[in-house]
Amino acid sequence: MADDQYLVLARKWRPQAFDNVVGQDHITRTLKNAITSGRIHHAFLFIGSRGIGKTTTARILAKALNCLEADGPTPTPCGVCSNCAAIAAGNAIDVIEIDGASNNSVEDVRELRDNIRMVPTNARYKVYIIDEVHQLSIAAFNALLKTLEEPPPHAIFILATTEAHKIPATIISRCQRYDFRRVPVPQLITLLRKILDKEGLAATDEALHAIARAAEGGVRDSESILDELITYCDGEITFKDVFDVLGLVDWQLMHDICDAILAKDVTRQLVLVEEVVTAGKDLTQFVEELLRYFRNLLVCRTANARVLIHLPEEELDALSKRAEKISLTNLIRLVEQFSELVNNFDSQLAQRIALESMLIRISKVGVEVSLDTIMDKLVALGQGGLGAATDQPTPAASTTAATPPEAPPKPESPPDPPVAGPAKPAPAAPASKAPIQVTPENMIRAWDAIIERSSHDDLNLLTWFKLGKPTGIDGETLRLSFSSANKRALDFVQDRGNQKAMGEALSRHTTNLTSIAITVQEDTSAKEAPSSAGKGSDLPVSPGINAEEAKEALKDPSVATIVDVFKGRIVDIKSVTSGDGES
Ligand SMILES: [Zn+2]
């Protein structure tokens, strides 16, 4: 491309016929039918976000109405006659393009009304394309309304707007309304690929995906990004080029943040945010990128990533490695939290991802509860609130759901007798964590209280150690019995690191215990399910559910926790993609 002939791609490849408009088939088909059948409305309202083809379609419509190659309006304007050429070049006398933002006074509209009375010079119709029409003043709208009510037969109005809600209903009701859609990523990619082919240039698939995603459904945006890249790149356009040109946050930084979150290293996280801000990156974009990143992790964790995430292989591998380290519950929570954060920035991405994580939650976690609710309940458990807050205590709850000693949530609730010595805090005081003195007499209830407090430290501790039954106290050691049937629980609780963590939790939450000792109880009945306690070998399932499958499902900590906390039942079991182990 010689510099003097340089045209931006959006202009160079602007569609000149209805069939070339990308992603708006529902509109171009209707317009072509209207023209063919001779039912041409005198006022059109084109609604949709910027850069998705409203003005382009308006110009094609103007050509269709005025092409000289046909005897009347035609759905396929020739594109070469003097009218078509003038309209394409933007200098047709009878096609008047008005920017609503700068011609929004009542005088402007009056002038337009005077102008409308004059018959077209070279064309069948005078076409008025008013862009950003929502910017007109109220007085201008009123003047426009008068024109729309009694338009001369030779006048056609095409009003275009990104903000339909700002247009008076009286105007909308006089127009035929067309809603333009954001263009799906695959169609944008096809378009970009076509342009590159015509320009004799190359780009990787991942690069085009990244461009299309960044354009968020906008044809013009995708074309101008491609323009920049063509100027920037010497040879083939790669994924990395797109990141460099768009100023997207470096992927390594995403990985670093993820690792810091996994390590709960707050200092590192804040240092990384500082880096982003210092580098002058846009925080909105950064948060969106983070959301996209964790969404990708969630997809890696739950579905076929290669099909759904369009990233280079090495990036997919890096994602998969991290996805395996995060529990599904945590991942969903992260995605939801970032989604909520992005939501405050009013983004399309957030809506889509909120939808996706909800879908994953209902199909993988198996119960339609918001994670917030689960978290609230778990927090309530940790503060000793749930037992008292539960509407009615179930018989089975007497051993599993403890009513820990302090801080009843409602003053009117009868206070529970304390498990051990420490004085209850004043009712107004926040829930305190006075250590519990554990005795053989109170150890079962105390154990529940300890486990619930530990849930603040680590959800895994709650999930697995909760399955143990205290059987005695030796000095500073609590003996816990686990059923041999639950292999995963045994693996977890027999791990020395986990035992140490539990011992530390005991030191924190009790006055007299510092370690645990595990005994294994041979048991082939269904007692390993945490909420099966209380009534023999009954599993918390609905009739018709296979007991073996239910047991298997209950080994999943998220399922077990939900069933237990919500006193739920398993009503359906679906197997999920292979290779997907929930930790
Ligand atoms: Zn023509």
Side-chain angles (χ1 to χ4, degrees), residues 246-279:
L246 293 183
L248 295 179
V249 179
D250 181 3
W251 270 70
Q252 188 51 49
L253 183 70
M254 293 291 155
H255 292 323
D256 291 348
I257 285 249
C258 176
D259 293 341
I261 289 173
L262 285 183
K264 299 195 170 128
D265 185 344
V266 176
T267 308
R268 176 86 181 122
Q269 292 168 33
L270 297 185
V271 165
L272 290 167
V273 170
E274 168 79 16
E275 274 177 27
V276 172
V277 174
T278 312

PDB file of all heavy atoms in Angstrom, residues 246-279:
ATOM      1  N   LEU A 246      -2.686  -3.674  21.429  1.00  0.00           N
ATOM      2  CA  LEU A 246      -3.869  -3.258  22.192  1.00  0.00           C
ATOM      3  C   LEU A 246      -3.517  -2.803  23.605  1.00  0.00           C
ATOM      4  O   LEU A 246      -4.367  -2.338  24.342  1.00  0.00           O
ATOM      5  CB  LEU A 246      -4.886  -4.398  22.262  1.00  0.00           C
ATOM      6  CG  LEU A 246      -5.534  -4.781  20.938  1.00  0.00           C
ATOM      7  CD1 LEU A 246      -6.565  -5.860  21.146  1.00  0.00           C
ATOM      8  CD2 LEU A 246      -6.175  -3.573  20.297  1.00  0.00           C
ATOM      9  N   GLY A 247      -2.246  -2.953  23.964  1.00  0.00           N
ATOM     10  CA  GLY A 247      -1.871  -2.553  25.319  1.00  0.00           C
ATOM     11  C   GLY A 247      -2.550  -3.435  26.345  1.00  0.00           C
ATOM     12  O   GLY A 247      -2.811  -3.023  27.466  1.00  0.00           O
ATOM     13  N   LEU A 248      -2.886  -4.662  25.939  1.00  0.00           N
ATOM     14  CA  LEU A 248      -3.518  -5.575  26.890  1.00  0.00           C
ATOM     15  C   LEU A 248      -2.501  -5.940  27.959  1.00  0.00           C
ATOM     16  O   LEU A 248      -1.301  -5.866  27.746  1.00  0.00           O
ATOM     17  CB  LEU A 248      -3.991  -6.845  26.177  1.00  0.00           C
ATOM     18  CG  LEU A 248      -5.084  -6.631  25.149  1.00  0.00           C
ATOM     19  CD1 LEU A 248      -5.459  -7.946  24.496  1.00  0.00           C
ATOM     20  CD2 LEU A 248      -6.300  -5.988  25.781  1.00  0.00           C
ATOM     21  N   VAL A 249      -3.037  -6.333  29.076  1.00  0.00           N
ATOM     22  CA  VAL A 249      -2.152  -6.689  30.165  1.00  0.00           C
ATOM     23  C   VAL A 249      -1.429  -7.986  29.808  1.00  0.00           C
ATOM     24  O   VAL A 249      -2.017  -8.916  29.273  1.00  0.00           O
ATOM     25  CB  VAL A 249      -2.965  -6.859  31.453  1.00  0.00           C
ATOM     26  CG1 VAL A 249      -2.066  -7.255  32.594  1.00  0.00           C
ATOM     27  CG2 VAL A 249      -3.694  -5.566  31.770  1.00  0.00           C
ATOM     28  N   ASP A 250      -0.147  -7.980  30.071  1.00  0.00           N
ATOM     29  CA  ASP A 250       0.715  -9.107  29.777  1.00  0.00           C
ATOM     30  C   ASP A 250       0.171 -10.386  30.427  1.00  0.00           C
ATOM     31  O   ASP A 250      -0.263 -10.379  31.571  1.00  0.00           O
ATOM     32  CB  ASP A 250       2.096  -8.753  30.356  1.00  0.00           C
ATOM     33  CG  ASP A 250       3.110  -9.832  30.100  1.00  0.00           C
ATOM     34  OD1 ASP A 250       2.760 -10.809  29.427  1.00  0.00           O
ATOM     35  OD2 ASP A 250       4.244  -9.677  30.580  1.00  0.00           O
ATOM     36  N   TRP A 251       0.225 -11.474  29.669  1.00  0.00           N
ATOM     37  CA  TRP A 251      -0.304 -12.735  30.205  1.00  0.00           C
ATOM     38  C   TRP A 251       0.490 -13.249  31.386  1.00  0.00           C
ATOM     39  O   TRP A 251      -0.047 -13.868  32.278  1.00  0.00           O
ATOM     40  CB  TRP A 251      -0.379 -13.782  29.097  1.00  0.00           C
ATOM     41  CG  TRP A 251      -1.690 -13.669  28.459  1.00  0.00           C
ATOM     42  CD1 TRP A 251      -2.104 -12.635  27.672  1.00  0.00           C
ATOM     43  CD2 TRP A 251      -2.802 -14.521  28.623  1.00  0.00           C
ATOM     44  NE1 TRP A 251      -3.411 -12.808  27.336  1.00  0.00           N
ATOM     45  CE2 TRP A 251      -3.869 -13.967  27.897  1.00  0.00           C
ATOM     46  CE3 TRP A 251      -3.018 -15.705  29.308  1.00  0.00           C
ATOM     47  CZ2 TRP A 251      -5.116 -14.550  27.838  1.00  0.00           C
ATOM     48  CZ3 TRP A 251      -4.260 -16.290  29.240  1.00  0.00           C
ATOM     49  CH2 TRP A 251      -5.289 -15.711  28.513  1.00  0.00           C
ATOM     50  N   GLN A 252       1.784 -12.996  31.370  1.00  0.00           N
ATOM     51  CA  GLN A 252       2.586 -13.455  32.501  1.00  0.00           C
ATOM     52  C   GLN A 252       2.079 -12.794  33.787  1.00  0.00           C
ATOM     53  O   GLN A 252       2.014 -13.421  34.843  1.00  0.00           O
ATOM     54  CB  GLN A 252       4.065 -13.126  32.261  1.00  0.00           C
ATOM     55  CG  GLN A 252       4.986 -13.748  33.296  1.00  0.00           C
ATOM     56  CD  GLN A 252       4.732 -15.248  33.478  1.00  0.00           C
ATOM     57  OE1 GLN A 252       4.660 -16.004  32.509  1.00  0.00           O
ATOM     58  NE2 GLN A 252       4.547 -15.694  34.721  1.00  0.00           N
ATOM     59  N   LEU A 253       1.663 -11.537  33.660  1.00  0.00           N
ATOM     60  CA  LEU A 253       1.145 -10.821  34.822  1.00  0.00           C
ATOM     61  C   LEU A 253      -0.125 -11.500  35.343  1.00  0.00           C
ATOM     62  O   LEU A 253      -0.340 -11.623  36.546  1.00  0.00           O
ATOM     63  CB  LEU A 253       0.868  -9.368  34.438  1.00  0.00           C
ATOM     64  CG  LEU A 253       0.383  -8.482  35.571  1.00  0.00           C
ATOM     65  CD1 LEU A 253       1.500  -8.240  36.565  1.00  0.00           C
ATOM     66  CD2 LEU A 253      -0.119  -7.166  35.031  1.00  0.00           C
ATOM     67  N   MET A 254      -0.951 -11.968  34.407  1.00  0.00           N
ATOM     68  CA  MET A 254      -2.177 -12.697  34.799  1.00  0.00           C
ATOM     69  C   MET A 254      -1.800 -13.947  35.599  1.00  0.00           C
ATOM     70  O   MET A 254      -2.372 -14.225  36.640  1.00  0.00           O
ATOM     71  CB  MET A 254      -2.957 -13.136  33.554  1.00  0.00           C
ATOM     72  CG  MET A 254      -3.531 -12.001  32.779  1.00  0.00           C
ATOM     73  SD  MET A 254      -4.847 -11.240  33.736  1.00  0.00           S
ATOM     74  CE  MET A 254      -4.807  -9.637  33.035  1.00  0.00           C
ATOM     75  N   HIS A 255      -0.837 -14.693  35.054  1.00  0.00           N
ATOM     76  CA  HIS A 255      -0.392 -15.897  35.756  1.00  0.00           C
ATOM     77  C   HIS A 255       0.145 -15.527  37.143  1.00  0.00           C
ATOM     78  O   HIS A 255      -0.131 -16.202  38.133  1.00  0.00           O
ATOM     79  CB  HIS A 255       0.711 -16.606  34.968  1.00  0.00           C
ATOM     80  CG  HIS A 255       0.233 -17.214  33.674  1.00  0.00           C
ATOM     81  ND1 HIS A 255      -1.006 -17.807  33.533  1.00  0.00           N
ATOM     82  CD2 HIS A 255       0.834 -17.334  32.463  1.00  0.00           C
ATOM     83  CE1 HIS A 255      -1.130 -18.265  32.295  1.00  0.00           C
ATOM     84  NE2 HIS A 255      -0.038 -17.983  31.632  1.00  0.00           N
ATOM     85  N   ASP A 256       0.931 -14.433  37.196  1.00  0.00           N
ATOM     86  CA  ASP A 256       1.519 -14.023  38.480  1.00  0.00           C
ATOM     87  C   ASP A 256       0.432 -13.692  39.496  1.00  0.00           C
ATOM     88  O   ASP A 256       0.513 -14.086  40.659  1.00  0.00           O
ATOM     89  CB  ASP A 256       2.431 -12.806  38.286  1.00  0.00           C
ATOM     90  CG  ASP A 256       3.696 -13.168  37.507  1.00  0.00           C
ATOM     91  OD1 ASP A 256       3.943 -14.388  37.342  1.00  0.00           O
ATOM     92  OD2 ASP A 256       4.409 -12.258  37.060  1.00  0.00           O
ATOM     93  N   ILE A 257      -0.570 -12.942  39.035  1.00  0.00           N
ATOM     94  CA  ILE A 257      -1.659 -12.571  39.945  1.00  0.00           C
ATOM     95  C   ILE A 257      -2.365 -13.826  40.432  1.00  0.00           C
ATOM     96  O   ILE A 257      -2.663 -13.988  41.616  1.00  0.00           O
ATOM     97  CB  ILE A 257      -2.686 -11.664  39.226  1.00  0.00           C
ATOM     98  CG1 ILE A 257      -2.106 -10.266  39.067  1.00  0.00           C
ATOM     99  CG2 ILE A 257      -4.003 -11.632  39.973  1.00  0.00           C
ATOM    100  CD1 ILE A 257      -2.764  -9.204  39.889  1.00  0.00           C
ATOM    101  N   CYS A 258      -2.620 -14.741  39.497  1.00  0.00           N
ATOM    102  CA  CYS A 258      -3.297 -15.983  39.848  1.00  0.00           C
ATOM    103  C   CYS A 258      -2.484 -16.734  40.900  1.00  0.00           C
ATOM    104  O   CYS A 258      -3.027 -17.189  41.916  1.00  0.00           O
ATOM    105  CB  CYS A 258      -3.492 -16.830  38.592  1.00  0.00           C
ATOM    106  SG  CYS A 258      -4.217 -18.435  38.928  1.00  0.00           S
ATOM    107  N   ASP A 259      -1.177 -16.843  40.676  1.00  0.00           N
ATOM    108  CA  ASP A 259      -0.333 -17.552  41.632  1.00  0.00           C
ATOM    109  C   ASP A 259      -0.355 -16.869  42.998  1.00  0.00           C
ATOM    110  O   ASP A 259      -0.389 -17.529  44.039  1.00  0.00           O
ATOM    111  CB  ASP A 259       1.109 -17.643  41.108  1.00  0.00           C
ATOM    112  CG  ASP A 259       1.186 -18.534  39.868  1.00  0.00           C
ATOM    113  OD1 ASP A 259       0.238 -19.336  39.665  1.00  0.00           O
ATOM    114  OD2 ASP A 259       2.167 -18.427  39.111  1.00  0.00           O
ATOM    115  N   ALA A 260      -0.345 -15.536  42.974  1.00  0.00           N
ATOM    116  CA  ALA A 260      -0.363 -14.800  44.238  1.00  0.00           C
ATOM    117  C   ALA A 260      -1.691 -15.006  44.965  1.00  0.00           C
ATOM    118  O   ALA A 260      -1.734 -15.110  46.188  1.00  0.00           O
ATOM    119  CB  ALA A 260      -0.118 -13.316  43.983  1.00  0.00           C
ATOM    120  N   ILE A 261      -2.773 -15.095  44.198  1.00  0.00           N
ATOM    121  CA  ILE A 261      -4.080 -15.345  44.821  1.00  0.00           C
ATOM    122  C   ILE A 261      -4.087 -16.747  45.437  1.00  0.00           C
ATOM    123  O   ILE A 261      -4.525 -16.950  46.562  1.00  0.00           O
ATOM    124  CB  ILE A 261      -5.221 -15.188  43.791  1.00  0.00           C
ATOM    125  CG1 ILE A 261      -5.394 -13.703  43.422  1.00  0.00           C
ATOM    126  CG2 ILE A 261      -6.537 -15.746  44.339  1.00  0.00           C
ATOM    127  CD1 ILE A 261      -6.371 -13.454  42.300  1.00  0.00           C
ATOM    128  N   LEU A 262      -3.544 -17.717  44.676  1.00  0.00           N
ATOM    129  CA  LEU A 262      -3.486 -19.090  45.186  1.00  0.00           C
ATOM    130  C   LEU A 262      -2.652 -19.160  46.460  1.00  0.00           C
ATOM    131  O   LEU A 262      -2.983 -19.886  47.387  1.00  0.00           O
ATOM    132  CB  LEU A 262      -2.882 -20.022  44.130  1.00  0.00           C
ATOM    133  CG  LEU A 262      -3.778 -20.378  42.960  1.00  0.00           C
ATOM    134  CD1 LEU A 262      -3.074 -21.352  42.033  1.00  0.00           C
ATOM    135  CD2 LEU A 262      -5.067 -20.993  43.469  1.00  0.00           C
ATOM    136  N   ALA A 263      -1.573 -18.391  46.484  1.00  0.00           N
ATOM    137  CA  ALA A 263      -0.693 -18.417  47.648  1.00  0.00           C
ATOM    138  C   ALA A 263      -1.203 -17.507  48.759  1.00  0.00           C
ATOM    139  O   ALA A 263      -0.567 -17.392  49.801  1.00  0.00           O
ATOM    140  CB  ALA A 263       0.718 -18.001  47.225  1.00  0.00           C
ATOM    141  N   LYS A 264      -2.330 -16.860  48.507  1.00  0.00           N
ATOM    142  CA  LYS A 264      -2.891 -15.897  49.472  1.00  0.00           C
ATOM    143  C   LYS A 264      -1.846 -14.844  49.854  1.00  0.00           C
ATOM    144  O   LYS A 264      -1.802 -14.377  50.995  1.00  0.00           O
ATOM    145  CB  LYS A 264      -3.402 -16.610  50.722  1.00  0.00           C
ATOM    146  CG  LYS A 264      -4.517 -17.607  50.415  1.00  0.00           C
ATOM    147  CD  LYS A 264      -5.245 -18.025  51.655  1.00  0.00           C
ATOM    148  CE  LYS A 264      -6.495 -18.813  51.300  1.00  0.00           C
ATOM    149  NZ  LYS A 264      -6.626 -20.080  51.968  1.00  0.00           N
ATOM    150  N   ASP A 265      -1.002 -14.511  48.880  1.00  0.00           N
ATOM    151  CA  ASP A 265       0.062 -13.543  49.126  1.00  0.00           C
ATOM    152  C   ASP A 265      -0.444 -12.150  48.766  1.00  0.00           C
ATOM    153  O   ASP A 265      -0.334 -11.691  47.625  1.00  0.00           O
ATOM    154  CB  ASP A 265       1.278 -13.924  48.271  1.00  0.00           C
ATOM    155  CG  ASP A 265       2.475 -13.037  48.550  1.00  0.00           C
ATOM    156  OD1 ASP A 265       2.297 -11.963  49.165  1.00  0.00           O
ATOM    157  OD2 ASP A 265       3.589 -13.421  48.138  1.00  0.00           O
ATOM    158  N   VAL A 266      -1.009 -11.481  49.757  1.00  0.00           N
ATOM    159  CA  VAL A 266      -1.659 -10.199  49.506  1.00  0.00           C
ATOM    160  C   VAL A 266      -0.644  -9.139  49.061  1.00  0.00           C
ATOM    161  O   VAL A 266      -0.902  -8.353  48.150  1.00  0.00           O
ATOM    162  CB  VAL A 266      -2.415  -9.723  50.757  1.00  0.00           C
ATOM    163  CG1 VAL A 266      -3.021  -8.358  50.538  1.00  0.00           C
ATOM    164  CG2 VAL A 266      -3.506 -10.727  51.110  1.00  0.00           C
ATOM    165  N   THR A 267       0.530  -9.156  49.684  1.00  0.00           N
ATOM    166  CA  THR A 267       1.544  -8.162  49.323  1.00  0.00           C
ATOM    167  C   THR A 267       1.878  -8.251  47.840  1.00  0.00           C
ATOM    168  O   THR A 267       1.873  -7.266  47.119  1.00  0.00           O
ATOM    169  CB  THR A 267       2.836  -8.394  50.148  1.00  0.00           C
ATOM    170  OG1 THR A 267       2.460  -8.463  51.512  1.00  0.00           O
ATOM    171  CG2 THR A 267       3.823  -7.280  49.923  1.00  0.00           C
ATOM    172  N   ARG A 268       2.118  -9.478  47.396  1.00  0.00           N
ATOM    173  CA  ARG A 268       2.459  -9.698  45.990  1.00  0.00           C
ATOM    174  C   ARG A 268       1.311  -9.221  45.085  1.00  0.00           C
ATOM    175  O   ARG A 268       1.535  -8.589  44.063  1.00  0.00           O
ATOM    176  CB  ARG A 268       2.740 -11.191  45.785  1.00  0.00           C
ATOM    177  CG  ARG A 268       3.011 -11.597  44.361  1.00  0.00           C
ATOM    178  CD  ARG A 268       4.481 -11.419  43.997  1.00  0.00           C
ATOM    179  NE  ARG A 268       4.737 -11.797  42.616  1.00  0.00           N
ATOM    180  CZ  ARG A 268       5.254 -10.975  41.704  1.00  0.00           C
ATOM    181  NH1 ARG A 268       5.584  -9.742  42.015  1.00  0.00           N
ATOM    182  NH2 ARG A 268       5.455 -11.393  40.472  1.00  0.00           N
ATOM    183  N   GLN A 269       0.088  -9.526  45.462  1.00  0.00           N
ATOM    184  CA  GLN A 269      -1.071  -9.109  44.660  1.00  0.00           C
ATOM    185  C   GLN A 269      -1.100  -7.590  44.514  1.00  0.00           C
ATOM    186  O   GLN A 269      -1.303  -7.053  43.423  1.00  0.00           O
ATOM    187  CB  GLN A 269      -2.380  -9.580  45.310  1.00  0.00           C
ATOM    188  CG  GLN A 269      -2.567 -11.098  45.292  1.00  0.00           C
ATOM    189  CD  GLN A 269      -3.714 -11.542  46.178  1.00  0.00           C
ATOM    190  OE1 GLN A 269      -4.703 -10.847  46.323  1.00  0.00           O
ATOM    191  NE2 GLN A 269      -3.585 -12.703  46.785  1.00  0.00           N
ATOM    192  N   LEU A 270      -0.885  -6.898  45.639  1.00  0.00           N
ATOM    193  CA  LEU A 270      -0.949  -5.439  45.597  1.00  0.00           C
ATOM    194  C   LEU A 270       0.219  -4.852  44.815  1.00  0.00           C
ATOM    195  O   LEU A 270       0.074  -3.863  44.109  1.00  0.00           O
ATOM    196  CB  LEU A 270      -1.005  -4.873  47.022  1.00  0.00           C
ATOM    197  CG  LEU A 270      -2.262  -5.291  47.803  1.00  0.00           C
ATOM    198  CD1 LEU A 270      -2.319  -4.601  49.149  1.00  0.00           C
ATOM    199  CD2 LEU A 270      -3.533  -5.011  47.013  1.00  0.00           C
ATOM    200  N   VAL A 271       1.383  -5.519  44.920  1.00  0.00           N
ATOM    201  CA  VAL A 271       2.530  -5.063  44.137  1.00  0.00           C
ATOM    202  C   VAL A 271       2.215  -5.179  42.647  1.00  0.00           C
ATOM    203  O   VAL A 271       2.519  -4.283  41.847  1.00  0.00           O
ATOM    204  CB  VAL A 271       3.789  -5.894  44.501  1.00  0.00           C
ATOM    205  CG1 VAL A 271       4.882  -5.698  43.459  1.00  0.00           C
ATOM    206  CG2 VAL A 271       4.288  -5.528  45.885  1.00  0.00           C
ATOM    207  N   LEU A 272       1.563  -6.265  42.261  1.00  0.00           N
ATOM    208  CA  LEU A 272       1.231  -6.465  40.849  1.00  0.00           C
ATOM    209  C   LEU A 272       0.218  -5.420  40.370  1.00  0.00           C
ATOM    210  O   LEU A 272       0.326  -4.901  39.260  1.00  0.00           O
ATOM    211  CB  LEU A 272       0.702  -7.890  40.633  1.00  0.00           C
ATOM    212  CG  LEU A 272       1.763  -8.988  40.783  1.00  0.00           C
ATOM    213  CD1 LEU A 272       1.135 -10.367  40.871  1.00  0.00           C
ATOM    214  CD2 LEU A 272       2.765  -8.941  39.639  1.00  0.00           C
ATOM    215  N   VAL A 273      -0.762  -5.110  41.220  1.00  0.00           N
ATOM    216  CA  VAL A 273      -1.726  -4.066  40.854  1.00  0.00           C
ATOM    217  C   VAL A 273      -0.986  -2.741  40.682  1.00  0.00           C
ATOM    218  O   VAL A 273      -1.229  -1.989  39.735  1.00  0.00           O
ATOM    219  CB  VAL A 273      -2.834  -3.950  41.920  1.00  0.00           C
ATOM    220  CG1 VAL A 273      -3.696  -2.711  41.666  1.00  0.00           C
ATOM    221  CG2 VAL A 273      -3.703  -5.196  41.936  1.00  0.00           C
ATOM    222  N   GLU A 274      -0.054  -2.497  41.593  1.00  0.00           N
ATOM    223  CA  GLU A 274       0.764  -1.291  41.502  1.00  0.00           C
ATOM    224  C   GLU A 274       1.490  -1.235  40.146  1.00  0.00           C
ATOM    225  O   GLU A 274       1.532  -0.201  39.489  1.00  0.00           O
ATOM    226  CB  GLU A 274       1.770  -1.289  42.667  1.00  0.00           C
ATOM    227  CG  GLU A 274       2.884  -0.272  42.577  1.00  0.00           C
ATOM    228  CD  GLU A 274       2.420   1.123  42.981  1.00  0.00           C
ATOM    229  OE1 GLU A 274       1.343   1.197  43.604  1.00  0.00           O
ATOM    230  OE2 GLU A 274       3.122   2.105  42.666  1.00  0.00           O
ATOM    231  N   GLU A 275       2.019  -2.387  39.725  1.00  0.00           N
ATOM    232  CA  GLU A 275       2.712  -2.444  38.426  1.00  0.00           C
ATOM    233  C   GLU A 275       1.778  -2.063  37.287  1.00  0.00           C
ATOM    234  O   GLU A 275       2.156  -1.346  36.373  1.00  0.00           O
ATOM    235  CB  GLU A 275       3.237  -3.863  38.170  1.00  0.00           C
ATOM    236  CG  GLU A 275       4.601  -4.119  38.772  1.00  0.00           C
ATOM    237  CD  GLU A 275       5.047  -5.568  38.538  1.00  0.00           C
ATOM    238  OE1 GLU A 275       4.599  -6.183  37.543  1.00  0.00           O
ATOM    239  OE2 GLU A 275       5.808  -6.081  39.368  1.00  0.00           O
ATOM    240  N   VAL A 276       0.549  -2.575  37.371  1.00  0.00           N
ATOM    241  CA  VAL A 276      -0.430  -2.293  36.315  1.00  0.00           C
ATOM    242  C   VAL A 276      -0.712  -0.794  36.259  1.00  0.00           C
ATOM    243  O   VAL A 276      -0.712  -0.177  35.185  1.00  0.00           O
ATOM    244  CB  VAL A 276      -1.734  -3.078  36.570  1.00  0.00           C
ATOM    245  CG1 VAL A 276      -2.815  -2.647  35.601  1.00  0.00           C
ATOM    246  CG2 VAL A 276      -1.483  -4.565  36.451  1.00  0.00           C
ATOM    247  N   VAL A 277      -0.922  -0.215  37.430  1.00  0.00           N
ATOM    248  CA  VAL A 277      -1.254   1.202  37.486  1.00  0.00           C
ATOM    249  C   VAL A 277      -0.068   2.052  37.027  1.00  0.00           C
ATOM    250  O   VAL A 277      -0.209   2.978  36.237  1.00  0.00           O
ATOM    251  CB  VAL A 277      -1.683   1.585  38.919  1.00  0.00           C
ATOM    252  CG1 VAL A 277      -1.902   3.078  39.036  1.00  0.00           C
ATOM    253  CG2 VAL A 277      -2.953   0.833  39.290  1.00  0.00           C
ATOM    254  N   THR A 278       1.133   1.664  37.489  1.00  0.00           N
ATOM    255  CA  THR A 278       2.331   2.422  37.116  1.00  0.00           C
ATOM    256  C   THR A 278       2.575   2.363  35.615  1.00  0.00           C
ATOM    257  O   THR A 278       3.008   3.336  35.002  1.00  0.00           O
ATOM    258  CB  THR A 278       3.569   1.856  37.854  1.00  0.00           C
ATOM    259  OG1 THR A 278       3.239   1.716  39.220  1.00  0.00           O
ATOM    260  CG2 THR A 278       4.758   2.773  37.709  1.00  0.00           C
ATOM    261  N   ALA A 279       2.274   1.218  35.006  1.00  0.00           N
ATOM    262  CA  ALA A 279       2.485   1.071  33.571  1.00  0.00           C
ATOM    263  C   ALA A 279       1.427   1.825  32.768  1.00  0.00           C
ATOM    264  O   ALA A 279       1.434   1.790  31.538  1.00  0.00           O
ATOM    265  CB  ALA A 279       2.484  -0.404  33.190  1.00  0.00           C
TER     266      ALA A 279
END
